[in-house]
Amino acid sequence: MDHSLLGQAVVYLAAAMIIVPLASRLGLGSVLGYLLGGVVIGPHLLNLVGQADDVMHFAELGVVMMLFLVGLELEPSRLWRLRGPIFGLGGLQLLGTGAVLLPIGLLLGLPWQQALAMGLILAMSSTAIALQTLSEKGLMGSDAGQKSFSVLLFQDVAVIPMLALFPLLATLPGSAGDGHGDSFLDQIGALEHTLLVLAAIAVVISAGRFLVRPMMRAVARTGLRELFTAAALFIVLGVTLLMTAVGLSPALGTFLAGVVLANSEYHHELESDVEPFKGLLLGLFFLAVGASIDFPAVAAQPVLVASLVLGVSLIKALVLLGLGLAFRARRDQAVLFAVALCQVGEFAFVLLSFARGSGVLAPEVATVGVAVTALSMALSPVSFVLVERLVLPRLLGPASAPREADAIDEHNEVIVAGYGRFGQVAARFLSANGHAATLLDVDSDQIDVVARFGGKVFFGDASRLDLLSAAGAGHAKILAVAVDDPVKVKEIVHLARVHFPHLAILARARGRGEAYELVEHEVEGVYRETFDSALRAGVDALRLLGTPAAMAWRAARIFARHDEESIQVLAEHRGDQARLVHGSRERTLMLEAALRADRGIEPGEPEQAWDSEGLRRLARGDGD
Amino acid sequence: MTPPPRRRLHHPPRDARGAVLVLLAHPDLRRSRANRRMAQALADIDGVTVHNLYEAWPDLDIDVPREQALLSNHQALVWRHPLYWYSTPAILKQWQDLVLELGWAYGPGGEALRGKPFLQGITTGGGEAAYQVDGFHQLTIGQLLAPITRMAGLCGMQALEPFVLYGTHRLDEPSLDRAALAWRTRILALRDSLTG
Ligand SMILES: Cc1cc2nc3c(=O)[nH]c(=O)nc-3n(C[C@H](O)[C@H](O)[C@H](O)COP(=O)(O)O)c2cc1C
């Protein structure tokens, strides 16, 4: 087999392309798809890849990027808001599950260090599977959904100290390639090393604070998209390099960098630039994990593996159930919460390979761990369906299915794309009425000006799908497209209609022509940017000419209604100049008639009719 | 040459104060015969502020604090309006609903209008004979105005006998002018009863 870089790349990509779609079609999810793909190309089936370890080393960058993104998502303010459930519920879940699993590990003959590490690793749940399942069932807003989210968030954060502390549990010689045992670091003392580590962390934090902004701004001014990607990768790889050099976990460093940048206006940009690389490299990571499963070792002890899978899932579920009830969930919600998180998650793969590499877990133990994790993930959708069909109906009675609810407020309900003259007014009005909006703009100078007044606008081009979804389009209710470039407006509207059909779209139109086009997209609202102020000037002109204000106002409303209607009606002729002209003449005549009627200029003035004699005659039925 | 006075688009002066506040409610004064004269007859009286509600809030979006300040700055309240559908034009209803706040105009602490005289000046299309119990409309003006008399009562205002001009369409110009003069006299008497 061709073991060149190119050959390997083709094998891995092919495995991903063939097996992952199959797995998602079967409802197994992409993580399991990658794992299966790895198994297929691995040494025990097709044997198409050489040393999976080399690939693993490269693919670990995917994990590093994942933690960068986790850090980016962790706005300190949000963490603070959810601190109760995150640290209370999440902390108890992790420690509680670990505490129950530890003695089991000891019983199975593991030394305490390995039993502890294994217990904590297996306590991790799968964010990918749990969130996917919950949001597919519309349960994210439910109590179970909220609790699951908090626990997963805690686990995300807990990975960091675990990565930092695992080396302390090491009892075995680690495998090569983790930056440990570096000759330079061996030469310096413990104190110097600590200082060096602290200095590196300080560098990451202050660079995130003071260097990244000017750098991104300079990049933004060039207007070159690919430079953004380069800058994002530069940040991640730079931090990785620095951390490796001082013997710290790169994942820890990038996580930190992510947190520092979470509040920056380039948050969404960075997120959408790193996301695809993370996806791909993480996929590669799972492939490599799959390929490195030691099947003979697993096959040699089928009873052990099977009972571990069932036992671990059951123990996790029971701990979760107890915690759910203790945190005052209804019984059905506690059951959902338990089954949603009872599988072992993808973080376990990361931690297992790290623990193995740093000499905490013996390779044969880690292999069993990988097998248990993979199998429990595979079982997860099945157990969810079983619980949903068999257990919940008993708890709820036949009729009441789990209630649809609002999504979690991790993003705002309104996204305003374009924070210029138009978007500002709309967003300020909303915020004055208690609805914060997620604001996006592509003008970094403008963003700086707003920031000086204490506002926060994210830098980003809303005509990019990844950016829209990073801004929360999947959960938001309304997208206000307030960009001034009509071409961009159309692009964004089109994109949102196709990919987020649930969004109500309010679109800015430069003039009539643009309005016609937007009407065809069936957006909820089209607003010609100057129409309302022009009409108000018209009203004041009428008043200065002597028309009573109330009459001028009504005339303006009639005019506006009529004009908006005519845009709806004429939109279909928009290509056909002749019909357009004819149609709008017709509409003008109708408008004039409508205005005349409202002013009471038509025959039969209403006031006169109130003359008692007139009414009496009408009542008698003899008219005039 | 002095420049012509600037026309104002926005009413009324925020700090207007005086003895009598006249709220004028007519949506289209261009076409008015009776109420326009009635309002003009008060134009030059010291201590009387005529406040054209439809001109100030043409979309019925009334600025409540501003209206309340005007009321506090005057000692008596007058409504001047045509009878529309046996009641007031819509803006006066909106004015009641928004401006007469609980704890301000009525209810606990609602003392702002207490003791102020209240006078209603009305014009009707129907003749006086029609507004009798045995007449065409079957109710007297006094009966029709019961909700407004109650409004005045609840706010502790002292409701005066309304000034009604019946059958406006049958009145010729001189009769309308005479009615406007009578209205002016009535308002002058009200003003003088306050400052005296
Ligand atoms: C919408 C509307 C409703 C009216 N309702 C009545 C009514 O209920 N009773 C009545 O006598 N006249 C009614 N009229 C006639 C007006 O009261 C009459 O035209 C007005 O008092 C004349 O005053 P002006 O010249 O200042 O407009 C109504 C007129 C309009 C336009």
Side-chain angles (χ1 to χ4, degrees):
Chain A
M1 196 59 236
D2 184 357
H3 285 174
S4 69
L5 179 62
L6 209 59
Q8 293 274 301
V10 168
V11 168
Y12 276 100
L13 291 172
M17 280 182 342
I18 294 167
I19 298 171
V20 175
L22 264 175
S24 355
R25 177 132 345 140
L26 293 175
L28 297 177
S30 62
V31 174
L32 280 176
Y34 283 119
L35 279 174
L36 279 178
V39 170
V40 171
I41 57 175
H44 305 288
L45 277 178
L46 298 182
N47 193 16
L48 294 177
V49 287
Q51 265 296 13
D53 278 355
D54 293 345
V55 178
M56 183 80 97
H57 200 61
F58 178 62
E60 270 164 6
L61 269 180
V63 178
V64 166
M65 289 179 176
M66 173 162 75
L67 283 160
F68 180 64
L69 293 176
V70 169
L72 268 182
E73 279 296 323
L74 283 187
E75 284 180 45
S77 60
R78 190 159 141 241
L79 261 186
W80 184 245
R81 230 180 327 116
L82 291 174
R83 62 193 179 279
I86 292 178
F87 291 100
L89 194 56
L92 285 174
Q93 185 273 335
L94 192 64
L95 296 179
T97 311
V100 177
L101 291 176
L102 171 69
I104 296 179
L106 293 177
L107 278 182
L108 290 174
L110 292 179
W112 72 266
Q113 292 93 337
Q114 300 203 25
L116 176 61
M118 209 52 176
L120 290 176
I121 291 173
L122 294 180
M124 290 287 173
S125 308
S126 168
T127 308
I129 291 180
L131 290 191
Q132 181 71 16
T133 318
L134 287 170
S135 68
E136 268 169 17
K137 314 256 176 210
L139 290 172
M140 277 315 293
S142 68
D143 189 29
Q146 299 270 9
K147 285 193 161 58
S148 305
F149 183 76
S150 299
V151 169
L152 290 168
L153 204 60
F154 180 82
Q155 294 180 353
D156 284 357
V157 181
V159 171
I160 302 303
M162 282 163 79
L163 288 177
L165 295 179
F166 269 12
L168 301 180
L169 297 175
T171 50
L172 311 156
S175 61
D178 282 289
H180 296 283
D182 194 287
S183 58
F184 161 67
L185 288 175
D186 282 345
Q187 286 162 15
I188 61 173
L191 179 67
E192 285 93 332
H193 191 190
T194 311
L195 286 178
L196 203 60
V197 166
L198 289 180
I201 290 177
V203 166
V204 170
I205 293 180
S206 49
R209 274 268 145 86
F210 306 112
L211 259 170
V212 170
R213 260 163 211 250
M215 179 178 98
M216 294 300 278
R217 206 171 305 144
V219 166
R221 287 229 182 78
T222 64
L224 296 172
R225 272 239 35 85
E226 66 276 14
L227 264 193
F228 267 114
T229 313
L233 288 179
F234 172 77
I235 293 174
V236 172
L237 296 181
V239 172
T240 304
L241 194 66
L242 179 68
M243 289 294 131
T244 315
V246 300
L248 267 189
S249 138
L252 178 69
T254 47
F255 173 79
L256 206 68
V259 174
V260 173
L261 292 172
N263 261 329
S264 107
E265 63 269 38
Y266 296 104
H267 167 159
H268 288 313
E269 264 296 327
L270 289 171
E271 196 173 321
S272 45
D273 279 323
V274 175
E275 184 74 47
F277 291 97
K278 179 215 90 174
L280 206 56
L281 287 172
L282 212 55
L284 189 59
F285 175 78
F286 291 136
L287 278 171
V289 170
S292 66
I293 293 181
D294 187 354
F295 273 99
V298 176
Q301 36 201 347
V303 182
L304 175 73
V305 172
S307 43
L308 274 178
V309 169
L310 295 178
V312 168
S313 304
L314 198 65
I315 288 171
K316 293 187 71 167
L318 288 176
V319 171
L320 287 162
L321 189 66
L323 282 175
L325 292 173
F327 277 71
R328 271 179 262 139
R330 283 205 324 256
R331 278 193 305 161
D332 60 306
Q333 294 292 317
V335 169
L336 274 174
F337 172 58
V339 71
L341 298 182
C342 74
Q343 73 299 101
V344 185
E346 55 273 10
F347 267 127
F349 295 128
V350 178
L351 291 168
L352 282 167
S353 85
F354 178 78
R356 177 184 174 180
S358 51
V360 181
L361 288 180
E364 55 288 0
V365 176
T367 299
V368 172
V370 170
V372 169
T373 305
L375 289 172
S376 90
M377 287 171 79
L379 269 181
S380 177
V382 183
S383 51
F384 202 92
V385 170
L386 284 180
V387 165
E388 209 183 19
R389 298 262 164 84
L390 300 179
V391 182
L392 285 183
R394 302 239 168 105
L395 290 176
L396 291 167
S400 53
R403 197 166 67 89
E404 283 265 345
D406 302 320
I408 342 169
D409 63 337
E410 62 165 317
H411 293 288
N412 292 309
E413 289 183 326
V414 185
I415 301 170
V416 175
Y419 196 67
R421 293 169 300 136
F422 196 99
Q424 272 178 36
V425 175
R428 273 174 45 217
F429 174 73
L430 282 173
S431 116
N433 284 284
H435 293 279
T438 303
L439 310 172
L440 301 173
D441 204 296
V442 286
D443 179 346
S444 50
D445 294 328
Q446 166 80 359
I447 291 174
D448 287 347
V449 172
V450 178
R452 238 174 282 144
F453 288 94
K456 196 165 85 196
V457 180
F458 291 104
F459 181 87
D461 180 351
S463 63
R464 285 177 46 198
L465 178 59
D466 47 354
L467 206 116
L468 267 185
S469 65
H475 308 282
K477 291 184 177 157
I478 298 173
L479 171 66
V481 187
V483 177
D484 60 357
D485 175 359
V487 179
K488 275 269 183 252
V489 172
K490 259 198 301 181
E491 270 175 43
I492 298 170
V493 167
H494 182 73
L495 201 68
R497 264 285 167 267
V498 173
H499 294 278
F500 307 102
H502 69 283
L503 275 180
I505 300 181
L506 308 177
R508 167 180 177 173
R510 179 163 285 178
R512 267 192 113 76
E514 289 81 4
Y516 287 147
E517 292 181 4
L518 288 168
V519 164
E520 295 210 324
H521 275 94
E522 293 182 16
V523 298
E524 276 68 14
V526 178
Y527 307 91
R528 280 170 286 163
E529 42 189 56
T530 53
F531 184 78
D532 287 320
S533 10
L535 202 55
R536 278 186 26 226
V539 168
D540 284 349
L542 267 190
R543 292 177 63 188
L544 288 169
L545 290 170
T547 306
M551 295 293 116
W553 172 259
R554 278 196 58 77
R557 293 314 308 154
I558 292 172
F559 184 90
R561 251 190 323 270
H562 190 91
D563 207 63
E564 260 140 39
E565 251 172 54
S566 82
I567 285 191
Q568 300 285 336
V569 173
L570 296 178
E572 50 186 286
H573 306 320
R574 120 184 117 80
D576 182 344
Q577 193 65 21
R579 294 211 46 191
L580 209 59
V581 170
H582 177 72
S584 53
R585 281 227 188 99
E586 227 167 59
R587 303 280 316 174
T588 308
L589 291 177
M590 285 164 66
L591 171 62
E592 280 167 8
L595 287 171
R596 247 199 329 271
D598 193 67
R599 266 180 274 146
I601 295 169
E602 298 289 284
E605 306 221 355
E607 299 86 331
Q608 304 283 351
W610 281 94
D611 174 12
S612 318
E613 274 307 310
L615 282 184
R616 197 168 303 147
R617 248 183 290 125
L618 282 173
R620 277 202 308 269
D622 51 30
D624 298 283
Chain B
M1 230 180 80
T2 52
R6 281 205 161 270
R7 278 169 160 275
R8 308 173 55 97
L9 280 171
H10 302 287
H11 298 249
R14 200 176 263 285
D15 50 354
R17 50 178 66 244
V20 181
L21 176 65
V22 181
L23 299 184
L24 168 63
H26 194 295
D28 193 355
L29 281 172
R30 276 178 315 185
R31 285 152 45 79
S32 161
R33 294 170 71 237
N35 285 284
R36 191 186 45 213
R37 280 184 168 78
M38 300 282 186
Q40 271 164 4
L42 308 182
D44 58 340
I45 307 181
D46 267 349
V48 175
T49 308
V50 179
H51 175 25
N52 187 336
L53 286 181
Y54 271 115
E55 208 53 32
W57 324 116
D59 52 358
L60 300 199
D61 176 21
I62 293 176
D63 181 344
V64 173
R66 222 162 143 154
E67 289 295 322
Q68 289 180 345
L70 277 176
L71 284 167
S72 299
N73 290 341
H74 291 82
Q75 292 160 268
L77 174 61
V78 174
W79 282 9
R80 159 47 63 200
H81 62 91
L83 192 68
Y84 278 5
W85 284 108
Y86 306 109
S87 181
T88 68
I91 202 164
L92 277 172
K93 185 66 175 65
Q94 176 82 333
W95 181 92
Q96 288 179 289
D97 296 354
L98 295 180
V99 179
L100 301 181
E101 281 177 336
L102 176 66
W104 186 83
Y106 72 102
E111 304 278 300
L113 303 175
R114 194 153 297 277
K116 297 188 177 181
F118 174 73
L119 170 65
Q120 219 176 341
I122 307 169
T123 60
T124 73
E128 187 161 11
Y131 287 103
Q132 306 298 333
V133 176
D134 54 356
F136 181 72
H137 294 304
Q138 300 172 15
L139 292 166
T140 66
I141 286 293
Q143 288 169 325
L144 287 170
L145 296 184
I148 292 160
T149 317
R150 280 304 309 141
M151 169 201 82
L154 191 63
C155 298
M157 289 189 288
Q158 189 195 330
L160 307 175
E161 190 59 31
F163 181 101
V164 186
L165 180 65
Y166 292 103
T168 50
H169 306 304
R170 304 203 161 235
L171 297 177
D172 59 8
E173 311 270 304
S175 317
L176 287 170
D177 288 337
R178 267 198 305 282
L181 199 63
W183 170 244
R184 178 185 165 91
T185 312
R186 180 81 191 267
I187 295 294
L188 280 174
L190 173 61
R191 182 198 66 175
D192 296 342
S193 75
L194 295 167
T195 43

